[in-house]
Amino acid sequence: MSTAGSNDGRVNVRILNNGLAGAITVLPCEGEGKEPDIELAKNQLKQAGVIFGIDDVVLKAVFNNKTFEQEIIVANGNPPVDGKDGKIVFFFETDMKLAPQEDEKGNVDYKNINLLQNVKKGEKLAEVTPPVPGKEGKDVFGKKMLPKVGKVIRMPSGPNTEISPDNSNILIASKEGNVSLLKGIIQVESVFEVGKDVDYNTGNIEYVGSIIIKGSVRSGFEVNVQGDCEINGIVEDATVKAGGDIFIKNGFLGKNKGMIEAGGNIITKFIQNQNVKAKGDIIVGENVLHSNVQSEGKIEVTGRKGSIVGGYTSSIKGVYVKELGNYQEVRTEVTVGVNEELEQKMKDAEQEIEK
């Protein structure tokens, strides 16, 4: 703040808004003192270091109208315009909702679930927009004010993807396969397709990617994949293991000698006399009969029939079912909140405590 004269009129200067504005308060003279004028105001602004953005029209109006003893902003800086962050646009579904569609009558559509998203070589997967540069500002002292720099979005390229030769901001598939977003990285997995049943003609199948089986998996055979597994037929007394999701269009049945195990979710039409384990959710369209079904997510059996009868059903996050047990009072055991492995650890701990 700067002041001139004793009994003369005065002009006080104050800096506002982190240097983006300068204001004056004009105080009239006392007694025979000299009245303040525009030149005094300009001198006081200069002494205070205000050299940029002074509005002469406003300044003249203060003295012409004798707008004294109130603070008036007479100088304005130019605030910086911050840069905008870069953006990324995906050209595939990044959050697949693995769930069948149910109509008003409770009928579940298992034909239109797309577990895998196949892309062709050269197909566009994502496009990154570079950040928009900001614009420098200037305060009333004439000093530059730097804008915030927009964040650069890195291309989330993963296995079997490459930068387009025509545009460095576009990511394309370098081979045909199943595209997915895993921990922020786009990857394209090879998809192996079996056009018939898994039986003596094919033998057991082990694959590092994802697989589509057009037929069924017959008793005694094994399918083990690191990715997702889609089976269009049924699974008998066989073993199917996947690191990702498993989708069986026509169900899982046998004589309690089969096992389905997924690192993700499992969707199937029905489960009868079988064993199922999933790290994610288990969604069943019709019924679960006399089976051992365990999920670290939730279990849903909420289709038109939607029943669990007999066996052991265990889920960490809840069991949702329309009908539990039946009129014949078949023993039906359901556990929520604790899975079999944790239960066994608890039993072992209790035995140790007893000892």
Side-chain angles (χ1 to χ4, degrees), residues 20 104 109 226 291 325 349:
L20 280 170
E104 296 176 354
D109 181 6
Q226 294 181 14
S291 297

Side-chain angles (χ1 to χ4, degrees), residues 141-280:
F141 304 115
K143 295 180 180 178
K144 290 182 180 180
M145 301 183 74
L146 299 178
K148 290 182 180 179
V149 179
K151 183 180 178 182
V152 176
I153 303 297
R154 293 185 177 181
M155 187 67 77
S157 54
N160 301 319
T161 66
E162 63 184 8
I163 303 299
S164 169
D166 302 321
N167 189 332
S168 61
N169 292 322
I170 293 177
L171 187 71
I172 62 175
S174 60
K175 67 181 297 183
E176 185 176 356
N178 173 45
V179 63
S180 62
L181 184 68
L182 182 63
K183 295 181 180 180
I185 299 298
I186 298 174
Q187 61 181 11
V188 177
E189 297 177 295
S190 298
V191 178
F192 180 52
E193 186 172 300
V194 179
K196 51 188 177 180
D197 292 348
V198 175
D199 54 17
Y200 288 101
N201 292 314
T202 62
N204 295 331
I205 293 175
E206 187 166 346
Y207 191 57
V208 295
S210 297
I211 189 170
I212 298 176
I213 299 171
K214 295 293 186 180
S216 300
V217 182
R218 299 303 177 184
S219 297
F221 291 90
E222 295 184 9
V223 175
N224 195 334
V225 299
Q226 294 181 14
D228 300 323
C229 180
E230 179 178 314
I231 300 168
N232 290 348
I234 63 172
V235 178
E236 298 178 343
D237 280 319
T239 299
V240 177
K241 294 183 178 181
D245 298 326
I246 295 177
F247 171 46
I248 306 168
K249 285 188 177 181
N250 287 319
F252 183 29
L253 79 164
K255 298 179 181 179
N256 205 32
K257 296 179 181 179
M259 167 61 78
I260 291 177
E261 193 168 349
N265 304 315
I266 294 174
I267 288 185
T268 184
K269 192 173 184 180
F270 59 82
I271 303 171
Q272 295 181 8
N273 300 304
Q274 289 294 15
N275 305 284
V276 177
K277 286 185 178 182
K279 293 286 186 182

Side-chain angles (χ1 to χ4, degrees), residues 331-345:
R331 180 180 175 84
T332 304
E333 188 175 355
V334 176
T335 303
V336 174
V338 181
N339 62 15
E340 188 177 50
E341 184 178 343
L342 289 175
E343 273 194 306
Q344 187 59 49
K345 287 182 179 179

Side-chain angles (χ1 to χ4, degrees), residues 29 39 54 72 127 143 152 235 330 342:
C29 65
E39 292 302 320
I54 298 173
I72 306 294
E127 183 172 1
K143 295 180 180 178
V152 176
V235 178
V330 175
L342 289 175

